[in-house]
Amino acid sequence: MGGDHEGGGWPMGKLFGTFGVRGVVGKEITPEFCLKMGMSFGSFLGCGKKVVIGSDTRVSGEMVKNAVVSGLMSTGVDVIDIGVAPTPVVQFATRHLGADGGVVVTASHNPPEYNGIKLLEASGMGLTRENEEKVENNYFENRFSLVGWDRVGCLSQRSVLPTYVARVKEHLDVEKIRERQPFVVVDPGNGTGSHILPQILREVGCRVMTINAQPDGFFPGRPSEPTPQNLVNLCRIVSEVGADLGVALDGDADRAVAIDENGSYVQGDRTFGLIVDHLLGQLGGGVVVTTVATSHIIDEIALRHGGRVIKTAVGDLVVSRKLVEVGGVVGGEENGGVIFPSLVLGRDGVLTAAKLVEILSVRGKSFSRVVGELPRTYQFKEKIFCPEEKKGEVMRFVSDKANSFGELVTIDGVKVLKGEWEWYIIRASGTEPIIRCFSEAKSEKRARELLEEGVSLVKSVLESL
Ligand code: MG
């Protein structure tokens, strides 16, 4: 590899996004790139170390995985291949098998032409930014510690799915689920949750119907991201067949969303709220970790149970790390990814979906009733176009000006607190030329006013530059 190929399609010095590397297969994600990633990670870990690897259902999965494996082995690292598995299962296996690191070959909910690589530390959490930089430096400086023929790493296959399934079941009130026998429609979107989630739900006594539950890297059933637009079939089927609940996963099964018995999509911060309410109720309190952009219903629910909420910047990695640091019981974001640190140090869509089934069974009411009993708030969102090069300056001015509007929280973007339950947040997108504003309040009118205040603040700054 040399000359033009050196950095592949990557800008010098930066490979990793919020969690791993993602790109189009054949463009950014080439066999050379994957091989070099394997050699870079292996050189970072060192000869004699052990790595777990697993991939999602994408067509390119084996190509990417085998190149990474080859790179790892060339540095003297032993590799345990767990096959096609949800991201949370690879994270679980890394810790469970006592490995020194892990690799997830996945592009989560991206279209089928994408793939990606996530690197894990021994705990199963994603690498810290500091360690990612070390791997990046190896990559860009071609600093590889290749070993001689007699020390090349070895490759073995292991299945951890049965162990993971057993551990998920230990986290569930199986007796209550068996009593209620809820009728659940599962839509894994042809992703890695296709077999495992229906299997677990059947084994704990649910009546299960599936759609899009054949693993298929073309994602023929629906686009992989579990958005309301992509789940119209699931919504319709849930209400038509008279199911108690619908659950959908994204491609790598680290996120789950719910559809109530009327076929209505339930927002991710509300399902997260249900889980917080349930767990804190059982434990009589506890620490919850979430991001500054998540609904304050989480605070309200935690308060009811004498619990505490710690807020971080946006991103599941930050939330996971904080959970470990403070010994929190559960963490999550507004997008349907819930972290149960007692099982996996990362978002787990399989356990999230199973927990929602448990909550439904324990409460003995319809899912819409259970969701309806959560605190009510109104939320509004708007995107404002902002050229990439202006984002930094705009956000600095927004922060200065917002000072007079309320109490500021600047952990991530600019959050303006008007009162305990009234706020808005302004954040620059990491991937698109836009700035997002998001408001929340107890009344619809107030939430709209707050959104307008935030949006006009950004627009006035943009015009003044
Ligand atoms: Mg995902």
Side-chain angles (χ1 to χ4, degrees), residues 101-118:
V103 180
V104 196
V105 176
T106 180
S108 186
H109 57 269
N110 283 98
E113 63 271 26
Y114 282 76
N115 212 332
I117 296 168
K118 288 180 179 184

Side-chain angles (χ1 to χ4, degrees), residues 22 87 108-109 118 250-255 347:
R22 264 182 227 173
T87 294
S108 186
H109 57 269
K118 288 180 179 184
D250 77 332
D252 65 332
D254 66 343
R255 286 200 284 144
R347 298 190 296 219

Side-chain angles (χ1 to χ4, degrees), residues 117-131:
I117 296 168
K118 288 180 179 184
L119 302 181
L120 310 174
E121 57 182 44
S123 67
M125 261 192 292
L127 289 196
T128 59
R129 182 65 202 132
E130 198 187 347
N131 286 334

Side-chain angles (χ1 to χ4, degrees), residues 182-204:
F183 179 14
V184 186
V185 185
V186 182
D187 178 357
N190 306 107
T192 53
S194 289
H195 292 160
I196 194 169
L197 181 59
Q199 179 199 337
I200 290 172
L201 295 183
R202 284 191 183 107
E203 285 180 12
V204 296

Side-chain angles (χ1 to χ4, degrees), residues 1-10 28-40 67 70-71 74 138-144 146:
M1 273 175 290
D4 294 333
H5 248 79
E6 225 44 81
W10 306 97
E28 292 94 4
I29 306 294
T30 60
E32 292 96 324
F33 169 74
C34 301
L35 177 73
K36 273 182 77 176
M37 277 297 286
M39 297 191 320
S40 305
S70 180
S74 71
N138 289 346
Y139 178 91
F140 286 112
E141 291 162 23
N142 288 311
R143 217 189 293 144
F144 308 125
L146 304 187

Side-chain angles (χ1 to χ4, degrees), residues 52-376:
V52 164
I53 194 166
S55 63
D56 69 16
T57 60
R58 282 164 201 278
V59 176
S60 58
E62 286 293 317
M63 182 275 273
V64 173
K65 186 172 74 181
N66 285 299
V68 175
V69 167
S70 180
L72 285 166
M73 289 167 71
S74 71
T75 62
V77 168
D78 292 335
V79 181
I80 306 168
D81 181 2
I82 65 162
V84 172
T87 294
V89 175
V90 185
Q91 295 184 270
F92 168 80
T94 301
R95 182 159 68 164
H96 176 69
L97 298 174
D100 302 286
V103 180
V104 196
V105 176
T106 180
S108 186
H109 57 269
N110 283 98
E113 63 271 26
Y114 282 76
N115 212 332
I117 296 168
K118 288 180 179 184
L119 302 181
L120 310 174
E121 57 182 44
S123 67
M125 261 192 292
L127 289 196
T128 59
R129 182 65 202 132
E130 198 187 347
N131 286 334
E132 275 185 351
E133 270 169 21
K134 290 181 186 163
V135 177
E136 271 171 2
N137 290 341
N138 289 346
Y139 178 91
F140 286 112
E141 291 162 23
N142 288 311
R143 217 189 293 144
F144 308 125
S145 326
L146 304 187
V147 297
W149 66 271
D150 53 343
R151 291 163 71 207
V152 167
C154 53
L155 172 64
S156 57
Q157 268 92 25
R158 276 282 289 269
S159 174
V160 290
L161 286 172
T163 318
Y164 171 80
V165 167
R167 293 290 306 280
V168 167
K169 288 200 265 182
E170 284 167 22
H171 277 73
L172 299 175
D173 189 339
V174 178
E175 208 176 301
K176 278 280 187 318
I177 302 172
R178 274 194 212 293
E179 261 170 44
R180 169 96 189 245
Q181 295 180 16
F183 179 14
V184 186
V185 185
V186 182
D187 178 357
N190 306 107
T192 53
S194 289
H195 292 160
I196 194 169
L197 181 59
Q199 179 199 337
I200 290 172
L201 295 183
R202 284 191 183 107
E203 285 180 12
V204 296
C206 297
R207 290 169 292 151
V208 177
M209 177 180 161
T210 58
I211 59 168
N212 309 321
Q214 307 77 29
D216 188 330
F218 286 86
F219 302 131
R222 63 162 166 90
S224 189
E225 181 153 35
T227 57
Q229 312 83 273
N230 293 343
L231 298 177
V232 284
N233 282 334
L234 176 63
C235 292
R236 187 175 46 81
I237 289 168
V238 167
S239 68
E240 277 180 14
V241 301
D244 298 304
L245 177 69
V247 287
L249 301 171
D250 77 332
D252 65 332
D254 66 343
R255 286 200 284 144
V257 301
I259 308 300
D260 73 18
E261 76 285 0
N262 305 315
S264 301
Y265 185 94
V266 183
Q267 293 297 333
D269 44 17
R270 297 190 73 72
T271 49
F272 178 39
L274 279 183
I275 290 169
V276 170
D277 189 36
H278 185 65
L279 289 180
L280 264 52
Q282 283 176 333
L283 298 167
V287 178
V288 180
V289 180
T290 189
T291 78
V292 284
T294 305
S295 169
H296 281 209
I297 66 165
I298 304 300
D299 304 65
E300 208 173 334
I301 293 163
L303 205 64
R304 277 184 193 169
H305 298 290
R308 197 157 61 90
V309 179
I310 294 177
K311 308 245 168 134
T312 67
V314 173
D316 57 314
L317 262 178
V318 200
V319 176
S320 300
R321 261 181 214 294
K322 193 51 131 186
L323 269 173
V324 173
E325 189 190 314
V326 300
V329 292
V330 65
E333 296 176 285
E334 79 297 342
N335 62 8
V338 181
I339 304 161
F340 303 87
S342 55
L343 185 67
V344 173
L345 294 175
R347 298 190 296 219
D348 188 336
V350 176
L351 184 53
T352 302
K355 269 286 166 197
L356 293 173
V357 169
E358 175 191 301
I359 293 168
L360 173 75
S361 308
V362 170
R363 299 275 171 98
K365 299 172 188 166
S366 68
F367 200 71
S368 63
R369 280 279 298 279
V370 175
V371 174
E373 285 167 5
L374 290 170
R376 183 81 190 109

